[in-house]
Amino acid sequence: MRVYRSKPVVEEEIVLLKNKVIQLKKRGIMPNIKTVFVGNDPASNTYSKQKQKFANQLGIRLTILHLPHETDTETLYHKIQELNHDDDVDGIMIEMPLPAHIDRKKIVLAIDPNKDCDAIHPAHLGNLLTYSPSRIPNTPLAAIKLLEYYQTEFQGKKAVMVGRSAIVGKPLAELLLQKECTVTLCHTKTENLAELTRTADILCVAIGKPEFITADMVNPNAIVIDIGINFNDKGKLVGDVKFDEVAAKVKGISPVPGGVGPLTNVMLFKQFVEKLEVESND
């Protein structure tokens, strides 16, 4: 059994990204991202600060615009429009979840797709499905990068994706399909789920249910990519897979923490920097 840790690939990518940012700055391009954080959600606050710290490490300017919880949809919409039209702003991120009173759909559609660092605008998913990707959601891209780093064979393999969100499950299923896997997309309401997961050569899980996948749901030749981030009843950070018992059975598995999570931010900044490189060469 091999544990698919992301630390070595993260370290490699950071070195490459730092060099790319240096080269952009030498050409007068100063990468600049604005993160809009509405309210006081503790997890969102943590994530935004983590991204800001990482951006600083890479030499990218990232500013957090903190708006009060009572901010309404129209106010937030106009703030995004302001950022869309600001030529000094290269990227925009909206921390999720937004407060319940805000119209999430209107806000997502308001973001200029060309500045959308998290690829939450539906145009990006549409482009991915038509084999002309513009920007790929960062978590699915991180999962693929992790599989590639550990030299996973994709062509003709049976991949099962458990989770159907538009930001993780669906795009990851499509990425696996484009790698020439045969893909089955499942969710928690799928009948006979364990029968399907046991057929997987590559099993990816993103459903937000702590330790949902157990050893009896996998086969010994499987590679399991756990994308879940949960806290169990003891307050311990765990994934959607029961790591110890599944790891003892399968060929490979990604841990939580230390797997897909740390690589997600790397993919965010990798796509952002590579977009600036392309635009500067046009």
Side-chain angles (χ1 to χ4, degrees):
M1 186 276 299
R2 189 174 192 182
V3 179
Y4 286 30
R5 301 188 189 279
S6 60
K7 184 177 180 180
V9 62
V10 167
E11 290 174 347
E12 281 186 14
E13 291 291 341
I14 285 175
V15 172
L16 294 171
L17 281 171
K18 282 184 176 179
N19 288 332
K20 286 175 181 288
V21 172
I22 288 170
Q23 295 306 313
L24 284 170
K25 288 183 174 180
K26 285 181 178 178
R27 294 156 62 185
I29 300 166
M30 304 297 172
N32 183 17
I33 296 174
K34 299 288 187 182
T35 294
V36 182
F37 174 30
V38 183
N40 50 18
D41 180 74
S44 295
N45 188 42
T46 299
Y47 295 150
S48 60
K49 287 182 178 178
Q50 286 174 345
K51 284 182 277 195
Q52 187 175 46
K53 183 178 178 181
F54 193 21
N56 291 341
Q57 183 182 354
L58 297 175
I60 294 170
R61 183 184 176 193
L62 189 155
T63 305
I64 301 171
L65 305 177
H66 198 162
L67 302 180
H69 181 273
E70 58 270 18
T71 300
D72 61 21
T73 299
E74 288 305 311
T75 301
L76 180 56
Y77 176 87
H78 288 298
K79 171 55 68 175
I80 293 168
Q81 292 299 326
E82 179 185 316
L83 297 175
N84 285 341
H85 292 101
D86 187 340
D87 291 337
D88 290 331
V89 175
D90 303 299
I92 301 169
M93 290 187 284
I94 310 296
E95 285 298 338
M96 300 290 179
L98 290 167
H101 65 272
I102 290 179
D103 183 342
R104 183 185 184 279
K105 182 177 180 181
K106 181 171 182 175
I107 296 307
V108 167
L109 290 174
I111 305 169
D112 179 352
N114 197 44
K115 293 188 177 186
D116 176 17
C117 289
D118 287 318
I120 60 176
H121 193 287
H124 295 301
L125 183 56
N127 289 337
L128 177 62
L129 293 174
T130 53
Y131 294 85
S132 54
S134 45
R135 179 171 261 144
I136 299 168
N138 301 301
T139 299
L141 191 60
I144 291 292
K145 182 70 176 180
L146 193 62
L147 287 165
E148 289 175 338
Y149 182 81
Y150 287 97
Q151 300 179 321
T152 303
E153 185 179 345
F154 294 97
Q155 190 174 41
K157 298 300 181 180
K158 173 72 172 177
V160 175
M161 177 71 234
V162 184
R164 55 182 167 175
S165 74
I167 202 71
V168 180
K170 290 177 182 177
L172 182 48
E174 178 61 25
L175 289 169
L176 289 164
L177 186 63
Q178 292 185 17
K179 286 283 189 180
E180 299 187 321
C181 292
T182 299
V183 181
T184 302
L185 180 59
C186 305
H187 46 84
T188 55
K189 301 297 188 295
T190 299
E191 293 185 359
N192 304 315
L193 179 61
E195 291 181 15
L196 292 170
T197 56
R198 281 193 293 267
T199 69
D201 300 305
I202 302 169
L203 175 62
C204 300
V205 191
I207 51 171
K209 289 187 174 291
E211 302 180 317
F212 180 82
I213 300 293
T214 51
D216 62 314
M217 299 175 72
V218 298
N219 75 71
N221 294 316
I223 295 167
V224 180
I225 301 298
D226 189 352
I227 307 170
I229 299 176
N230 316 280
F231 289 95
N232 63 14
D233 52 10
K234 296 179 181 179
K236 180 184 176 183
L237 179 63
V238 297
D240 290 343
V241 178
K242 200 162 188 177
F243 182 85
D244 290 341
E245 69 173 55
V246 173
K249 183 177 180 180
V250 299
K251 184 165 70 174
I253 186 170
S254 70
V256 176
V260 173
L263 198 49
T264 295
N265 278 344
V266 176
M267 293 299 102
L268 186 161
F269 291 106
K270 179 181 174 68
Q271 292 193 91
F272 172 71
V273 169
E274 289 178 349
K275 170 184 162 292
L276 291 181
E277 285 183 317
V278 170
E279 290 177 348
S280 67
N281 290 326
D282 288 345

